[in-house]
Amino acid sequence: MRAAPLPGAQAAGFWFLLAYWRGPGAAARDLRFVTMVFRHGDRSPIETFPNDPIKESSWPQGFGQLTQLGMEQHYELGQYLRRRYGKFLNESYKHEQVYIRSTDVDRTLMSALANLAALFPPEGISVWNPNLPWQPIPVHTVPVSEDQLLYLPFRNCPRFQELEKETLKSKEFQKRLHPYKDFIETLPKLSGYHGQDLFGIWSRVYDPLFCEGVHNFTLPSWVTGDTMAKLRELSELSLLSLYGIHKQKEKSRLQGGVLVGEVLNHMRSAAQPASRRRLIMYSAHDTTVSGLQMALDVYNGILPPYASCHLMELYLEKGEYFIEMYYRNETQHEPHTLTLPGCTPSCPLMRFAKLVAPVIPKDWPTECMITTNHQATNGIVC
Ligand code: PT3
């Protein structure tokens, strides 16, 4: 039954009461800590297919680089974060409150810097050059070869390689792949790329075409809307099958679960009364955002767009800590609430920890070596 509309004065009173009723609750809910994982902004292709008439020299900075559009996207995300967390983060940057880590890749490092320019413009005593509304903020990194946190997928893991092979053979994967078999057969002649693996089709055919489309290059005549739709669906299947479709929990322990464990440790530390840390930011890739979301079982199956951002907030309410997660994957819409399966949108920290425990590796190197192949267990294959 629909409620009858309230007459003017009565309606105003109703909204006032509602605001008052919500007010004290909202005040009692205290944001304590925020962590986020985002994808870098728009970039040039990383590689392309042999028949592509658009070569690396067509891109102002060559392959794999953040474009000016990518810088704008991250500056915009930084402005959004300033609006969302401005009060919580004080008027400007404080080193003991903030930590930023990026993969050691130009586009992720530059994205973090563009973002921070908008998030932490100098204010008051932080102004060091009146003509420049910018201050340096440290962005930490480790070499890609040593990155055991953000540069997903971790390929140096024999058990994971075994799971990838099992996935390709699984009924579920084959069922999903079947409708595209004829289309895949047509690709080598058109693109000159002969690989049949989905990751190759994604990174060497779909991705460069997508980048070229964004930058208004003329695409080859065989690249119709329907071709792009099929290539996108195959790329989505590639990413989904990387972390899921077959033994998702076990794969997560070897991939995104490492980051889940790190985030949970930070949440627990932030819940200590002496903690001064308020923000930890991770600048990374589509494969990082999706790997984290697959481990948390909240992935929507769509390739994470440029500058998409997974937010995790820790609140203190009536003596209990809660985690809330949001996904900002478009600028025209407020971030979408993500609910950890088995919990409520605002999930008690203890319950969150219990629910994610199965995807957090206890000993990643050892778990990676437990394969059905004895050579790997003996450390011969790695
Ligand atoms: O565009 O987000 C992306 C890709 O992950 C890209 O940044 C990349 O580095 N791909 C190589 C595999 C990590």
Side-chain angles (χ1 to χ4, degrees), residues 49-214:
F49 48 95
N51 295 350
D52 192 351
I54 298 145
K55 305 289 177 203
E56 181 164 14
S57 55
S58 308
W59 295 91
Q61 295 275 5
F63 276 165
Q65 293 297 315
L66 192 70
T67 63
Q68 290 188 352
L69 174 61
M71 295 172 202
E72 279 170 33
Q73 289 167 338
H74 260 285
Y75 193 82
E76 190 281 330
L77 177 60
Q79 286 177 316
Y80 172 79
L81 296 172
R82 183 89 219 139
R83 290 197 296 279
R84 189 174 176 103
Y85 301 120
K87 281 203 188 93
F88 174 63
L89 293 173
N90 299 315
E91 81 282 6
S92 198
Y93 169 75
K94 294 223 178 343
H95 77 91
E96 71 278 14
Q97 294 182 352
V98 177
Y99 186 86
I100 303 110
R101 176 167 163 177
S102 171
T103 59
D104 193 11
V105 177
D106 289 353
R107 55 188 172 275
T108 47
L109 291 159
M110 290 164 74
S111 293
L113 297 172
N115 188 312
L116 292 164
L119 177 55
F120 292 118
E123 304 266 346
I125 58 158
S126 305
V127 175
W128 62 282
N129 178 341
N131 299 318
L132 186 61
W134 173 85
Q135 61 181 324
I137 309 280
V139 176
H140 302 266
T141 193
V142 300
V144 161
S145 58
E146 290 164 28
D147 192 333
Q148 285 298 119
L149 185 68
L150 296 180
Y151 199 70
L152 269 72
F154 308 129
R155 298 266 182 210
N156 57 340
C157 177
R159 177 58 186 152
F160 183 69
Q161 289 168 4
E162 203 170 61
L163 287 169
E164 278 191 287
K165 285 188 195 132
E166 283 177 21
T167 305
L168 299 186
K169 286 191 213 139
S170 72
K171 269 209 182 106
E172 180 58 27
F173 176 77
Q174 286 300 328
K175 193 179 99 194
R176 291 186 191 222
L177 183 66
H178 188 260
Y180 301 95
K181 286 252 161 104
D182 290 345
F183 173 72
I184 292 173
E185 295 293 324
T186 67
L187 289 176
K189 204 165 157 214
L190 298 168
S191 69
Y193 174 67
H194 288 264
Q196 301 252 315
D197 65 302
L198 294 190
F199 199 80
I201 290 173
W202 173 20
S203 58
R204 300 200 48 181
V205 184
Y206 175 68
D207 184 75
L209 288 170
F210 174 82
C211 298
E212 291 160 11
V214 170

Side-chain angles (χ1 to χ4, degrees), residues 232 235-236 239-240 286 289-290 293 299-305 308 327 329:
R232 180 179 43 75
S235 304
E236 285 171 353
L239 189 52
L240 197 67
D286 47 9
V289 174
S290 53
Q293 294 186 337
Y299 181 54
N300 64 9
I302 297 169
L303 301 175
S308 53
Y327 186 37
N329 57 355

Side-chain angles (χ1 to χ4, degrees), residues 158 368-382:
C368 277
M369 297 311 281
I370 303 171
T371 65
T372 49
N373 171 348
H374 291 296
Q375 283 185 317
T377 338
N378 295 335
I380 296 164
V381 175
C382 59

Side-chain angles (χ1 to χ4, degrees), residues 260-305:
V260 174
E262 166 102 351
V263 164
L264 187 60
N265 285 341
H266 290 311
M267 292 282 181
R268 284 179 167 138
S269 306
Q272 299 301 312
S275 172
R276 291 200 284 175
R277 192 69 85 211
R278 290 189 178 202
L279 169 69
I280 297 184
M281 197 183 238
Y282 296 107
S283 181
H285 308 265
D286 47 9
T287 42
T288 319
V289 174
S290 53
L292 171 74
Q293 294 186 337
M294 283 295 278
L296 294 166
D297 209 3
V298 295
Y299 181 54
N300 64 9
I302 297 169
L303 301 175

